[in-house]
Amino acid sequence: MKKIWLALASMVLAFSVSAADISEGKQYTNLSKPVASAPDVVEFFSFYCPHCYQFSEVYKVNSTVEKNAPENTNLVRYHVDFLGPLGKDLTRSWAVAMALGVEDQVSPVLFKGIQETQSIRSVDDIRNAFIKAGVKGEDYDAAMNSFVVNSLVSQQQNAVADFQINGVPAMIIGGKYKMKNDGISAKSPEEYAKTYSDIVNQLLLKK
């Protein structure tokens, strides 16, 4: 855990901040081109991104944000395809996960296969990861080129372009605020995730 914490040292500041003390330029930035039609909370990530792995699987920021968000908050996670040799394939496979409603089952398996074991090296390996996560192979195959999945692939790619995302993890609130991952200090992963979640909720009130 100590090594993981040090690996994320660049994501924290020296001084603690409470959600009540947030200010533009410190914990978040105002987007120059807001997207009015965006979901309430959009997280952009890549299974090839080490910080995304820690953000999701170690710090559990996204699950904490989801758990603590106000009722009826629309939260989505979009995979970017500009990282890694299978980036585009993983974006399509993530669309399959979204269509089947198995994101929480599949995400840790894909992260482990990319970040820990380096066992995912082909599209067949991605499919096998879904099966390992409990998804039937025939369901995966049926969804892969469906209209719904094609639409979700375009939705992810369009959002990346609309928000001009060039680095991950990135979280957008209300289509107008971008969280600054290096603007939050904490003594533990749990504290970081809780503070992050509190700030997201405060920004949701501003949108």
Side-chain angles (χ1 to χ4, degrees), residues 171-183:
M171 191 172 286
I172 309 294
I173 315 302
K176 61 177 69 172
Y177 307 116
K178 182 178 181 180
M179 292 290 290
K180 286 177 63 67
N181 297 330
D182 61 353

Side-chain angles (χ1 to χ4, degrees), residues 142-181:
M144 177 57 69
N145 293 302
S146 66
F147 173 80
V148 171
V149 165
N150 287 337
S151 297
L152 287 170
V153 170
S154 296
Q155 189 172 304
Q156 293 178 91
Q157 293 171 335
N158 290 339
V160 170
D162 289 343
F163 285 114
Q164 301 178 340
I165 300 298
N166 53 23
V168 286
M171 191 172 286
I172 309 294
I173 315 302
K176 61 177 69 172
Y177 307 116
K178 182 178 181 180
M179 292 290 290
K180 286 177 63 67
N181 297 330

Side-chain angles (χ1 to χ4, degrees), residues 50-134:
H51 285 312
C52 297
Y53 166 71
Q54 294 164 347
F55 193 82
S56 174
E57 303 304 313
V58 179
Y59 280 58
K60 301 188 182 301
V61 173
N62 40 33
S63 60
T64 302
V65 168
E66 182 176 4
K67 180 177 68 176
N68 294 329
E71 188 175 0
N72 299 321
T73 300
N74 185 11
L75 303 97
V76 297
R77 297 179 70 200
Y78 290 154
H79 191 271
V80 303
D81 56 20
F82 53 72
L83 291 177
L86 295 172
K88 292 185 182 297
D89 299 298
L90 285 165
T91 293
R92 177 165 289 275
S93 293
W94 186 246
V96 170
M98 294 170 69
L100 298 178
V102 295
E103 300 101 306
D104 290 345
Q105 293 171 234
V106 169
S107 181
V109 180
L110 289 173
F111 266 125
K112 183 175 182 179
I114 297 290
Q115 296 288 333
E116 294 184 20
T117 64
Q118 290 83 49
S119 58
I120 296 179
R121 300 181 179 180
S122 68
V123 291
D124 287 339
D125 292 335
I126 298 174
R127 182 180 185 274
N128 288 336
F130 271 72
I131 294 172
K132 184 177 181 179

